[in-house]
Amino acid sequence: MLHWQPPSNLLCRSIDVARSYVFAHPDDELDELSQGRFDALVRRRADGEPMAYITGTREFWSHELLVTPATLVPRPETELLVDLALREIPRKAEWRILDLGTGSGAIAIAIAGERPLCNVTATDISAQALAVAKENVRQAGLGNVDCVEGNWGAAVAGRQFDMIVTNPPYVRADDEALQALRFEPVSALASGADGLDDIRTLALDCPALLPESGWLLIEHGAEQPEAVASILGAAGWTDIRCHNDLAGLPRVTVARRGGK
Ligand code: GLN
């Protein structure tokens, strides 16, 4: 019997078998080639590279998504944003939904899958990230997601939506946490001295894309709800409310466009 449990997820990848095979054959030995592959994967993981980049996939809202270093690894707390969006989108509604800065397409795909009558537009400034999102939309078999390249509101200037959802970069540029996140694109994480530069841009860009009372849902850091509320309030947004994630941390703010 093995006393040390090898990381079965990396092991099954190095011998190209299902994970269950590893547990069913505890006495098998690795040949030299597989051992070399396994050691290389373990080294990457030990160096801090996220499993999602090593395996190339991450599950989000029951979709198996392709992820590459061009995209942020989808986080479980972002499912709160999806959950809150679905609470407001009636099942039979044919809403136009905009996901700004979609990355791997996680939020857009989750919402589009749950609301097939809605049309979801997913944007990203990174062509490489958008290529990943497009492939994820294709693999999910969704016909109701369009991907558009461009920076925040400029990507869809002149268009109208019923709801905007976004998980923008919101980490402070000098935050030590960025070191632990060094494998992920810094452009998807950091946003100026207080982490709020992109949220300030969104607060000003988004009203033109919505009717009065149109919805905006923004993910942000647990220490940012008051700052986000004051940015949104100053830009004329109303009904501003922050919601806690499963860890009890205030992570998503919902607001509606005020009258002009
Ligand atoms: N939630 C991420 C973190 O781990 C940040 C994601 C973002 O900036 N959008 O800090």
Side-chain angles (χ1 to χ4, degrees):
M1 269 305 278
L2 282 170
H3 293 291
W4 175 67
Q5 283 285 333
S8 57
N9 204 350
L10 297 181
L11 189 53
C12 69
R13 267 157 217 282
S14 42
I15 48 179
D16 200 21
V17 295
R19 203 165 173 187
S20 52
Y21 182 98
V22 172
F23 293 104
H25 299 81
D27 298 325
D28 278 14
E29 302 216 341
L30 292 180
D31 59 35
E32 212 173 309
L33 203 66
S34 309
Q35 182 73 52
R37 279 199 294 258
F38 179 57
D39 291 346
L41 294 181
V42 170
R43 265 196 304 274
R44 285 171 65 185
R45 185 68 193 108
D47 191 36
E49 187 170 346
M51 273 301 285
Y53 290 153
I54 299 175
T55 64
T57 61
R58 170 56 51 96
E59 188 175 301
F60 183 84
W61 203 268
S62 82
H63 293 275
E64 176 95 338
L65 300 177
L66 192 72
V67 294
T68 76
T71 70
L72 208 64
V73 177
R75 312 277 205 271
E77 57 268 29
T78 301
E79 292 186 338
L80 169 65
L81 180 72
V82 174
D83 196 31
L84 292 167
L86 294 175
R87 276 189 220 172
E88 304 304 342
I89 311 168
R91 286 205 166 267
K92 299 234 162 90
E94 298 179 11
W95 281 15
R96 297 150 301 175
I97 316 243
L98 174 63
D99 174 16
L100 288 173
T102 196
S104 63
I107 298 169
I109 288 168
I111 294 177
E114 295 284 348
R115 294 290 184 273
L117 300 180
C118 290
N119 234 294
V120 183
T121 301
T123 75
D124 209 288
I125 194 171
S126 157
Q128 284 169 305
L130 210 62
V132 175
K134 278 185 191 158
E135 179 56 20
N136 281 323
V137 169
R138 198 191 62 76
Q139 285 188 18
L142 294 169
N144 58 336
V145 183
D146 293 313
C147 296
V148 180
E149 191 180 324
N151 194 27
W152 301 134
V156 286
R159 292 178 57 184
Q160 283 284 296
F161 300 88
D162 301 288
M163 172 184 276
I164 300 174
V165 290
T166 181
N167 174 16
Y170 52 73
V171 179
R172 281 185 288 108
D174 67 352
D175 195 321
E176 285 165 12
L178 287 175
Q179 171 57 19
L181 303 173
R182 68 191 181 284
F183 287 91
E184 297 185 81
V186 71
S187 58
L189 288 164
S191 189
D194 59 0
L196 293 164
D197 280 3
D198 287 294
I199 290 179
R200 276 187 279 269
T201 301
L202 288 162
L204 298 175
D205 270 16
C206 290
L209 306 170
L210 292 170
E212 187 174 342
S213 299
W215 295 90
L216 173 66
L217 289 81
I218 306 187
E219 178 177 321
H220 50 71
E223 67 296 344
Q224 295 172 327
E226 293 85 4
V228 170
S230 92
I231 290 168
L232 292 176
W237 294 85
T238 61
D239 301 328
I240 302 164
R241 274 195 57 197
C242 184
H243 298 258
N244 290 352
D245 65 13
L246 291 174
L249 300 172
R251 296 301 303 277
V252 176
T253 291
V254 179
R256 307 188 75 167
R257 210 209 82 180
K260 287 219 165 123

